[in-house]
């Protein structure tokens, strides 16, 4: 019941906010404002339902240190995607064909803020955290990573490989980021940085949602096996490899900090902060 008490209210905010933001995507300023508003409201609702259902302070979304954690995560996300796109460009799969759209990039800021925050609250803040209490960190990472990947099958140009790639490179990596830091701000930052770099900077497809307008007019060509095809660079083997490497780094940090929860059946794990 605790899972539903938290999942349903946040999912409603994510759905309604996402629908509204999607409806005004032609207006960059409105998309920015409504996207940020959706993100803020989602965090507020998450904090309230956690406090209500678990009778504790929602320290994973504490205001103190949030800006630094988000910025740190965003830099990691941008650097990670840049590494992927550079490697695709080196084999001739991506080129820059001039400048893109500044207003398009501004709109992507709001759209990706809403997506990153709501998805992290749902998948890492609620699903991963609660499942981890019952099954341990590794099992929760695998299960919620798989669910995260499968959720992307509903996107317009999605396919099974793209969903698998997302499950491996993002579902696991973002859960590992939370396990390592025990704050949702870092995975939110990584998620936002990755998505904004893909759409708002390099102008590529994001998770099969179609081409976007970013700061650069990016052109992807060549074998879909290397570039990710219509799903976008997230389905590239480079993204999978770099995502796995970062997962290993985060899990190493989690183990070093004593944050890896062993398999526990029928008990509530006490997580190291």
């Amino acid at each position: 019941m605790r899972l539903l008490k938290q999942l349903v209210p946040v999912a409603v905010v994510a759905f309604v906010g996402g629908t509204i933001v999607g409806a005004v995507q032609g207006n960059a300023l409105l998309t920015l404002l409504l996207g940020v508003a959706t993100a803020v409201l989602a965090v507020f609702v998450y904090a309230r339902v956690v406090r209500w259902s678990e009778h504790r302070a929602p320290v994973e979304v504490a205001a103190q240190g949030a800006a630094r954690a988000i910025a740190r995560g965003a830099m990691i996300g941008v650097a990670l995607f840049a590494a992927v796109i550079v490697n695709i460009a080196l084999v001739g799969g991506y080129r820059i064909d001039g400048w893109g759209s500044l207003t398009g990039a501004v709109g992507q800021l709001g759209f990706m803020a809403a997506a990153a925050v709501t998805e992290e609250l749902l998948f890492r803040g609620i699903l991963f955290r609660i499942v981890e209490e019952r099954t341990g960190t590794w099992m929760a990472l695998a299960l919620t990573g798989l669910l995260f990947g499968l959720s992307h099958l509903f996107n317009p140009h999605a396919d099974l490989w793209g969903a698998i790639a997302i499950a491996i490179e993002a579902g696991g990596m973002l859960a590992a980021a939370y396990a390592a830091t025990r704050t949702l701000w870092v995975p939110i930052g990584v998620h936002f940085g990755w998505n904004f770099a893909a759409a708002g900077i390099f102008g590529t497809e994001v998770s099969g949602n179609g081409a976007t307008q970013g700061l650069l007019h990016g052109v992807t060509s060549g074998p879909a096996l290397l570039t990710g095809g219509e799903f976008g660079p997230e389905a590239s083997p480079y993204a999978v490899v770099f995502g796995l490497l970062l997962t290993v780094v985060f899990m190493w940090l989690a183990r070093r900090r004593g944050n890896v929860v062993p398999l526990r059946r029928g008990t509530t794990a006490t997580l190291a902060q």
Side-chain angles (χ1 to χ4, degrees), residues 19-261:
T19 301
I20 294 173
V21 171
V24 300
Q25 269 196 285
N27 186 312
L29 182 58
L30 267 180
T31 303
L32 174 62
L33 294 176
L34 291 173
V36 172
T38 297
V40 171
L41 179 60
V43 172
F44 174 78
V45 169
Y46 172 85
R48 290 296 298 269
V49 295
V50 166
R51 192 181 297 274
W52 165 61
S53 62
E54 298 187 10
H55 307 290
R56 67 173 181 87
V59 293
E60 63 272 22
V61 288
Q64 185 175 3
R68 290 193 302 274
I70 293 172
R72 186 164 65 249
M75 287 189 290
I76 292 172
V78 170
L80 184 63
F81 189 85
V84 171
I85 209 71
V86 165
N87 276 273
I88 293 175
L90 288 175
V91 296
Y94 175 85
R95 74 176 191 276
I96 296 171
D97 192 17
W99 291 104
S101 168
L102 178 59
T103 57
V106 169
Q108 289 298 329
L109 282 170
F111 187 84
M112 294 309 177
V117 170
T118 55
E119 288 182 12
E120 289 312 302
L121 292 175
L122 289 168
F123 283 94
R124 262 58 68 176
I126 299 173
L127 289 174
F128 175 80
R129 183 175 56 80
I130 293 176
V131 170
E132 184 189 42
E133 294 176 0
R134 297 291 182 177
T135 67
T137 300
W138 287 105
M139 184 65 73
L141 186 148
L143 290 174
T144 59
L146 179 61
L147 285 174
F148 188 64
L150 291 176
S151 71
H152 288 73
L153 279 174
F154 298 99
N155 294 349
H157 298 103
D159 55 24
L160 183 58
W161 164 244
I164 293 172
I166 288 288
I168 297 171
E169 77 204 22
M173 182 261 291
L174 292 167
Y178 172 71
T181 61
R182 293 299 163 183
T183 173
L184 286 171
W185 298 127
V186 171
I188 283 172
V190 174
H191 195 151
F192 171 78
W194 170 276
N195 280 359
F196 181 72
I201 298 176
F202 294 103
T204 66
E205 297 85 353
V206 180
S207 305
N209 282 306
T212 56
Q213 286 189 325
L215 292 174
L216 302 173
H217 181 206
V219 178
T220 304
S221 60
L225 179 63
L226 290 176
T227 66
E230 288 188 315
F231 193 82
E234 289 167 315
S236 165
Y238 293 113
V240 175
V241 170
F242 285 124
L244 274 174
L245 288 174
L246 194 53
T247 301
V248 170
V249 172
F250 279 132
M251 288 308 297
W252 174 78
L253 286 172
R255 181 173 292 277
R256 185 177 180 182
R257 294 170 178 175
N259 287 347
V260 176
V261 180

